[in-house]
Amino acid sequence: MSTGMLQSCPRIIVLSVLGNDTKTFSMTGLAANSRYVFMVAAVNSIGTGKAVGISVITMNASAPNIDSEGMKPEPANLTTSVTFTCQAAGEPIPVITWHFNNTELLFPHSKYEMNLTTLNSTAVSSSLTVHEVDMSDVGLYTCLASNQVGITNSSGILTANVCSGPALSYGIAWPLTMVGETASER
């Protein structure tokens, strides 16, 4: 029979901590999405202090992972725009930051545009558009996803087409004369 309320199943765990340097402890085996109340009391040679209750709620948690398919753009023509995209999922939902050559990009920015879309309670999609590509934009772009559990990243390299106009062809006529030498067709 379920009443929809948390049921009390007290367990007593005696934890002995020696020394003055230990201020934290960890406990394994707690169920996710559950509420626990721990009673903590100081004990020393003089006696036992008053027990204090500490309420803890556990949550599902997972480090972010990234779908990096959008981190492989085609080479960009100069003065055009190029967009990198990444999707990240984790619990709690990851925070996305963008980096260029290992330096975090700050927004708003006249050169870059960042968009962020929450997909659901654990996933986010982000895009970074580089406007008016020039040679100073060529380099390593990184999408970094982080939450309280972990951090991960995915990177892509922006390359630029230096010559984006029609192909030029040059003809060479024989005999070819070079400085100090004479070349002839054989």
Side-chain angles (χ1 to χ4, degrees):
M1 174 172 133
S2 175
T3 62
M5 301 197 47
L6 294 174
Q7 300 209 348
S8 176
C9 296
R11 288 190 290 167
I12 298 175
I13 300 171
V14 176
L15 180 66
S16 177
V17 178
L18 301 175
N20 294 330
D21 295 335
T22 306
K23 295 180 176 73
T24 62
F25 72 95
S26 63
M27 196 172 223
T28 60
L30 301 178
N33 297 321
S34 299
R35 181 175 179 260
Y36 294 88
V37 176
F38 298 96
M39 300 301 288
V40 180
V43 178
N44 61 21
S45 61
I46 298 173
T48 301
K50 182 179 178 183
V52 177
I54 300 172
S55 179
V56 176
I57 298 175
T58 61
M59 299 176 58
N60 284 333
S62 63
N65 60 54
I66 290 182
D67 174 2
S68 58
E69 188 62 34
M71 294 300 293
K72 302 169 188 155
E74 296 293 322
N77 292 328
L78 296 179
T79 72
T80 63
S81 295
V82 66
T83 300
F84 292 91
T85 60
C86 76
Q87 290 185 4
E91 287 189 61
I93 193 165
V95 173
I96 301 288
T97 55
W98 287 94
H99 301 253
F100 173 58
N101 289 334
N102 298 316
T103 299
E104 184 175 351
L105 297 173
L106 303 176
F107 299 96
H109 194 286
S110 61
K111 183 74 173 178
Y112 305 106
E113 178 183 347
M114 195 260 287
N115 290 302
L116 190 66
T117 304
T118 301
L119 302 175
N120 57 45
S121 64
T122 62
V124 64
S125 176
S126 183
S127 66
L128 174 72
T129 301
V130 182
H131 295 288
E132 299 288 320
V133 171
D134 61 38
M135 292 308 292
S136 68
D137 299 317
V138 170
L140 183 70
Y141 287 83
T142 302
C143 170
L144 189 135
S146 63
N147 65 13
Q148 291 87 339
V149 181
I151 187 168
T152 190
N153 66 67
S154 180
S155 297
I157 297 174
L158 175 61
T159 58
N161 292 324
V162 178
C163 299
S164 60
L168 300 175
S169 61
Y170 297 94
I172 298 177
W174 293 99
L176 176 62
T177 304
M178 300 173 73
V179 177
E181 295 183 24
T182 302
S184 61
E185 188 173 0
R186 293 181 194 224

